[in-house]
Amino acid sequence: MNYAETIGVSTYRFADLATLLAKASPLRAGDQLAGIAASSEQERVAAQMTLARLPLRTFLDEAVIPYESDEVTRLIIDSHDADAFAEIAHLSVGDFRNWLLSHAAHSDALTRITAGLTPEMVAAVSKLMRNQDLIAVARKRPVVTRFRNTIGLPGRMSVRLQPNHPTDDVKGIAASMLDGLLYGCGDAVIGINPATDNLQAIVTLLSMIDEFRVRYDVPTQSCVLTHVTNTIAAIEKGAPVDLVFQSIAGTEKANTSFGVSLALLDEAHQAALSLQRGTVGNNVMYFETGQGSALSANAHHGIDQQTCEARAYAVARRFEPLLTNTVVGFIGPEYLYDGKQITRAGLEDHFCGKLLGVPMGCDICYTNHAEADQDDMDNLLTLLGVAGVNFIMGIPGADDVMLNYQSTSFHDALYVREVLGLRRAPEFEAWLQSMQIVDARGALLPATMRQPLLEGAREWMNN
């Protein structure tokens, strides 16, 4: 189908839906790199005007990647719920934006239509929205998940404690883990990016975290962020696996480059469920995504990176994860050039994921060669806190010494909770109170009162 828009004496034509979506996207370094971005602001506005008039039904009739050649497309189409879509089926993309911003689109209504939305629909409407629109709508759509605690409740924000170490030294990781817990972090997950994919090292790290968790009865979950096949192997060896991790993308070809398929993810999901380690729920998957991943694998099929990212959330949704994390600035300035692009991408990802019913967190981060700094991250952290993000990262000093990038620190989590009045997962906060780490309001107690856990942990580490 050919789409066109005339502005003044200029007529802009868009060959197909994928082209229209790409041209309507806010400026993005990755789309420029791929050669699919709008050539001017006027062309971008023409594409957005065309997109605004497009009926939502169009996305069910025209696939951006053919059904026959992509299993993610097949998942999107085959899982679409026509009954859930019926409530908004008469709307154009522009009308959908207006409805989302209205009082009629309250939390129950947004939940009701979730299964009727496709990633391309939510990506399209996001391209017509200002940052404040993305924040306002996402805030209305909480997504709650459970394993050993409850994540995503309104007014709550969790933190992944990320105690990475460049050599996977167990005592070094344990020290960073203890540091984070004493700052009240770790309710989303204690999650380690291993320096290697050595199976025995992975099992050792899982066992160390679990030994600590059991000893102190910590209501949280652990994860070593290795390839899904390694986690399956660890399960087969009897390792204490709580969550299965995997990086995912929005096209079959990109997922193949990661060494995964929907069938393999299903195998891992079933393996984790069989362990029955959850206490308050059984959401057992942890996914990470990021704009630009499909392009970096030459697997984007000419689709803009934000639409590809939204398609990854269809993969996540299929497996009912506990956590989904957009690692927003990690891939580099070739895809998100500066702080402004990183901020916009983080808000888009959170908005699109939440509308699709995915429990969205964000690694608010940048690489050292990007045109960004910690002030940009402070801004995005605050905006996502207002938008109701499920979780963020907690890294010693905000500087990951293994992955060599800049993220958010334990102190950053204290800041955003303080200024926005956000609490931790209720079960975890109750544990922190019992350990004399926080008071009844969730505020950190003086260091002298946190000594019981510190002294006990020192003894545990020495043994």
Side-chain angles (χ1 to χ4, degrees):
M1 186 180 295
N2 189 278
Y3 305 94
E5 180 72 36
T6 299
I7 299 180
V9 297
S10 300
T11 297
Y12 296 90
R13 300 188 186 280
F14 311 102
D16 51 30
L17 186 55
T19 301
L20 178 62
L21 289 167
K23 300 293 187 181
S25 294
L27 183 64
R28 204 66 37 101
D31 293 341
Q32 291 177 310
L33 179 65
I36 60 175
S39 59
S40 65
E41 285 301 318
Q42 190 171 25
E43 184 181 30
R44 181 172 290 110
V45 169
Q48 290 171 341
M49 292 172 65
T50 305
L51 189 61
R53 292 196 303 272
L54 197 70
L56 286 178
R57 289 186 181 276
T58 306
F59 296 96
L60 301 177
D61 300 329
E62 184 178 347
V64 294
I65 304 176
Y67 181 94
E68 298 76 15
S69 60
D70 185 89
E71 70 172 0
V72 177
T73 298
R74 292 194 290 275
L75 171 66
I76 292 166
I77 298 302
D78 293 348
S79 62
H80 183 258
D81 188 326
D83 291 337
F85 181 61
E87 186 170 345
I88 56 170
H90 62 290
L91 299 177
S92 68
V93 177
D95 292 334
F96 184 42
R97 171 193 176 274
N98 294 339
W99 181 81
L100 287 171
L101 291 166
S102 74
H103 292 301
H106 47 71
S107 177
D108 289 345
L110 293 175
T111 301
R112 204 164 52 235
I113 66 168
T114 296
L117 296 174
T118 70
E120 292 84 359
M121 291 177 192
V122 299
V125 76
S126 76
K127 298 176 193 301
L128 306 182
M129 303 179 93
R130 292 170 57 185
N131 286 1
Q132 67 172 249
D133 300 337
L134 300 173
I135 293 167
V137 176
R139 184 176 177 85
K140 296 192 290 185
R141 181 52 172 106
V143 180
V144 179
T145 56
R146 296 174 174 86
F147 189 74
R148 288 198 189 92
N149 57 33
T150 306
I151 298 171
L153 292 168
R156 306 268 176 174
M157 186 197 74
S158 297
V159 176
R160 170 189 161 189
L161 205 174
Q162 185 170 309
N164 294 344
H165 192 279
T167 64
D168 288 342
D169 179 77
V170 175
K171 283 196 173 182
I173 289 172
S176 291
M177 178 181 73
L178 179 60
D179 189 25
L181 288 169
L182 288 169
Y183 278 104
C185 295
D187 48 344
V189 63
I190 300 173
I192 303 166
N193 296 93
T196 73
D197 279 331
N198 178 276
L199 181 59
Q200 187 52 54
I202 291 164
V203 172
T204 297
L205 293 175
L206 286 167
S207 299
M208 180 272 290
I209 302 174
D210 201 58
E211 179 186 334
F212 182 90
R213 181 192 64 79
V214 171
R215 176 170 179 153
Y216 291 99
D217 197 25
V218 190
T220 191
Q221 36 283 328
S222 64
C223 186
V224 173
L225 282 68
T226 185
H227 192 268
V228 64
T229 53
N230 288 328
T231 304
I232 292 172
I235 291 173
E236 291 171 346
K237 288 178 69 70
V241 172
D242 289 341
L243 306 183
V244 174
F245 166 80
Q246 183 55 48
S247 294
I248 56 172
T251 73
E252 179 180 347
K253 186 177 179 182
N255 284 324
T256 299
S257 76
F258 291 156
V260 297
S261 64
L262 297 180
L264 179 59
L265 292 175
D266 188 59
E267 178 186 348
H269 186 218
Q270 294 304 316
L273 287 173
S274 72
L275 299 178
Q276 298 184 321
R277 290 175 57 84
T279 55
V280 298
N282 220 12
N283 299 114
V284 296
M285 303 298 281
Y286 175 14
F287 294 120
E288 287 194 345
T289 66
Q291 287 195 28
S293 60
L295 175 58
S296 67
N298 193 28
H300 63 295
H301 300 272
I303 302 167
D304 68 274
Q305 65 182 40
Q306 190 254 332
T307 300
C308 280
E309 173 73 4
R311 284 170 56 94
Y313 304 148
V315 177
R317 178 169 66 175
R318 161 70 178 78
F319 299 100
E320 301 180 339
L322 181 77
L323 310 165
T324 301
N325 179 32
T326 169
V327 192
V328 68
F330 183 75
I331 303 181
E334 301 85 357
Y335 306 94
L336 296 170
Y337 179 71
D338 56 16
K340 182 175 183 178
Q341 291 188 16
I342 291 171
T343 298
R344 174 71 189 189
L347 295 176
E348 288 170 347
D349 295 350
H350 180 252
F351 164 87
C352 290
K354 284 291 184 67
L355 277 192
L356 292 168
V358 175
M360 290 302 298
C362 184
D363 191 341
I364 300 161
C365 63
Y366 64 102
T367 56
N368 287 311
H369 61 308
E371 290 295 320
D373 58 27
Q374 213 64 38
D375 286 338
D376 295 311
M377 301 306 104
D378 287 348
N379 294 341
L380 180 53
L381 170 64
T382 307
L383 294 173
L384 284 171
V386 174
V389 71
N390 279 31
F391 68 100
I392 62 168
M393 304 297 109
I395 298 170
D399 182 4
D400 193 299
V401 296
M402 195 280 283
L403 292 173
N404 294 311
Y405 78 115
Q406 310 305 311
S407 184
T408 47
S409 70
F410 306 144
H411 296 83
D412 294 333
L414 292 177
Y415 148 74
V416 75
R417 283 180 171 140
E418 177 68 24
V419 298
L420 297 178
L422 299 172
R423 306 294 289 260
R424 299 165 182 87
E427 301 88 346
F428 188 79
E429 189 160 271
W431 176 80
L432 291 173
Q433 291 171 11
S434 73
M435 299 300 293
Q436 296 183 297
I437 296 174
V438 303
D439 63 18
R441 298 178 297 110
L444 282 184
L445 290 168
T448 53
M449 298 186 69
R450 289 177 267 164
Q451 285 297 112
L453 176 61
L454 181 59
E455 293 300 325
R458 281 174 177 161
E459 178 186 349
W460 168 76
M461 287 176 64
N462 289 333
N463 294 333

